[in-house]
């Protein structure tokens, strides 16, 4: 595809989340899954530009008085310099 390389990504996701409820902070390490897409573009011999979007889902967690659906969207833009 020349200098353009689209990709998909997926896998295991981790987050360290702290939620305070009535002075108590339940939470900790949550595990879930992630899926996303993006593209790399060669900008020269050693430079690559990247755009990526990821969706993370950690499920629904039940607390004392409520439940929370823990999801997140992440967008990234990067310049990558490869060593010769």
């Amino acid at each position: 595809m020349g200098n353009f390389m689209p990709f998909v990504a997926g896998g295991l996701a981790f987050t360290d989340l702290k939620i305070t409820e009535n002075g108590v902070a339940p939470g900790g390490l949550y595990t879930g899954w992630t899926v996303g897409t993006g593209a790399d573009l060669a900008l020269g011999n050693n430079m690559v530009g990247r755009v990526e979007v990821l969706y993370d889902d950690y499920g629904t967690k039940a607390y004392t008085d409520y439940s929370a659906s823990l999801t997140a969207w992440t967008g990234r833009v990067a310049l990558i310099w490869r060593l010769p």
Side-chain angles (χ1 to χ4, degrees), residues 33-70:
W33 55 270
T34 187
V35 65
T37 188
D40 288 347
L41 178 64
L43 302 173
N45 289 337
N46 295 327
M47 182 74 71
V48 175
R50 174 175 286 179
V51 176
E52 182 176 21
V53 176
L54 298 168
Y55 174 76
D56 301 325
D57 190 326
Y58 302 98
T60 300
K61 306 298 182 200
Y63 299 99
T64 305
D65 297 328
Y66 62 93
S67 64
S69 177
L70 305 174

